[in-house]
Amino acid sequence: MHNYDNILHEYIKTIDKKLDDYLQASDAPASIAEAMLYSIFPGGKRIRPVFMLAVAEMLGGKAACDAALPFACALEMIHTYSLIHDDLPAMDNDDMRRGRPANHVANGEAMAILAGDGLLNMAFEIMADYCATVNTSESVQAMSKVAKYSGISGMIGGQVMDIKLENATNVSETEVEYVYTNKTSKLFMAAFGSGALVGGAENSVNVMEDIGHKLGMAFQIKDDLLDISGTKVFGKPIGSDDKNNKSTYISVLGEPRAKEIYANLSSQALESIKTFKNSEFLAALAESLVNRTW
Ligand code: GRG
């Protein structure tokens, strides 16, 4: 879809330009600035910030999309910090990320830890500065949501349980669901929920977050399926989950059931998106994400 590609390209260009502005504006020592830039550029799919901008624009128009930009950049910085830390020897110990050496391999472990910390702090500085400028309850709620869903009641909590379940036997579906919901879905929920808040659509926050949850779960199951099928070309090495003895829907429930859950979540999320006006781009984006082969 020609128009879809153009819109996606424009969103990514806007996000990348703003990320660059934020990072260039700091007076940090060159070594840490370079280590932070190393993981932000060239980026990955930018799926979370694009979702946030698309949700805000669908619900609140162009002005809402502009207002969502600081939160979208903050979310991408938090996502990137999590990838840097996840690759460290103390965590998943992966040497490659996005097709090139992981941050700690390129910049050393100390600088990689600090680059992750630097991105996390900068994310909150950006959101706090924006909230102080516009002084609205919606913006403060949006920041709070990003904080909660990336913290111990979200991504960090999911990562903790993921580590605890490594090498465990008799892992239940509920335990894996907790990990997927928190480690992966919560950042998608932050994108959808904060996008709705900044889009001035408080009434739609819950339904948006439900869509984010389902898409995040489907995204993670797809990631697991790609990890075993050997078609993942851009990301962690193939078979990474197996190497780390991760519990996944595939290892706990079997591949056919994992595929069934994935298909149900994807179609429910898509159906729900399509109930909104002006949802063509968001629906196409969600569809391309769940159908990805990379
Ligand atoms: C270190 C606190 C802390 C958390 C780490 C996000 C995470 C938690 C670990 C990364 C490993 C992983 C497989 C997480 C599940 C979510 C996921 C598939 C992340 C990769 O996201 P993409 O595919 O990455 O959007 P790109 O490179 O495209 O940005």
Side-chain angles (χ1 to χ4, degrees):
M1 196 203 316
H2 179 64
N3 199 30
Y4 166 79
D5 288 337
N6 283 347
I7 298 171
L8 179 61
H9 180 75
E10 276 308 308
Y11 277 140
I12 293 177
K13 212 169 81 180
T14 305
I15 291 158
D16 281 359
K17 164 86 176 64
K18 196 70 180 171
L19 283 170
D20 195 47
D21 288 350
Y22 285 133
L23 284 159
Q24 301 295 348
S26 88
D27 56 0
S31 47
I32 183 73
E34 278 160 22
M36 288 160 78
L37 279 165
Y38 179 87
S39 289
I40 291 282
F41 295 113
K45 295 178 278 301
R46 305 281 195 234
I47 192 70
R48 297 159 190 79
V50 171
F51 268 132
M52 197 186 296
L53 296 190
V55 167
E57 185 153 11
M58 177 181 84
L59 297 171
K62 179 75 179 77
C65 180
D66 293 345
L69 189 55
F71 299 93
C73 290
L75 191 60
E76 184 64 15
M77 286 183 183
I78 291 170
H79 163 64
T80 305
Y81 115 76
S82 82
L83 298 180
I84 298 173
H85 284 191
D86 186 63
D87 290 338
L88 288 167
M91 295 221 198
D92 267 11
N93 194 17
D94 279 322
D95 286 349
M96 296 294 286
R97 169 68 62 184
R98 294 173 173 161
R100 64 179 189 149
N103 198 305
H104 66 277
V105 175
N107 299 298
E109 237 180 287
M111 212 47 69
I113 293 170
L114 293 167
D117 294 342
L119 287 168
L120 178 58
N121 278 275
M122 192 180 275
F124 282 91
E125 184 186 341
I126 291 165
M127 291 188 289
D129 283 351
Y130 180 80
C131 288
T133 307
V134 296
N135 201 12
T136 61
S137 144
E138 292 76 24
S139 61
V140 176
Q141 285 180 62
M143 172 161 123
S144 170
K145 205 172 270 309
V146 172
K148 183 172 178 186
Y149 287 167
S150 57
I152 55 172
S153 300
M155 183 183 71
I156 293 177
Q159 178 77 346
V160 168
M161 282 312 290
D162 194 36
I163 291 170
K164 287 235 165 280
L165 293 177
E166 266 173 31
N167 303 312
T169 47
N170 294 327
V171 175
S172 68
E173 179 176 352
T174 312
E175 286 171 315
V176 183
E177 193 183 346
Y178 175 88
V179 171
Y180 284 21
T181 294
N182 286 281
K183 188 177 86 164
T184 308
S185 279
K186 288 275 170 88
L187 288 197
F188 284 78
M189 290 168 72
F192 278 76
S194 299
L197 279 166
V198 181
E202 218 172 329
N203 292 344
S204 300
V205 170
N206 288 345
V207 57
M208 278 294 139
E209 283 192 17
D210 182 60
I211 295 170
H213 180 232
K214 288 181 169 127
L215 278 180
M217 296 290 287
F219 177 76
Q220 181 60 63
I221 299 171
K222 183 77 179 192
D223 203 67
D224 299 340
L225 291 165
L226 293 172
D227 192 69
I228 58 160
S229 71
T231 49
K232 192 153 72 174
V233 291
F234 200 60
K236 298 205 293 184
I238 305 299
S240 174
D241 292 342
D242 215 26
K243 180 198 85 181
N244 290 315
N245 290 317
K246 297 269 185 204
S247 296
T248 67
Y249 271 4
I250 304 172
S251 68
V252 171
L253 302 173
E255 194 176 331
R257 177 72 187 130
K259 282 184 170 160
E260 199 181 337
I261 295 174
Y262 156 79
N264 288 340
L265 288 165
S266 312
S267 63
Q268 285 165 17
L270 275 169
E271 222 169 278
S272 191
I273 289 174
K274 286 174 184 166
T275 62
F276 285 84
K277 266 195 297 185
N278 303 320
S279 60
E280 293 78 12
F281 175 78
L282 193 62
L285 182 66
E287 215 149 349
S288 86
L289 183 75
V290 294
N291 293 331
R292 78 194 201 281
T293 53
W294 30 271

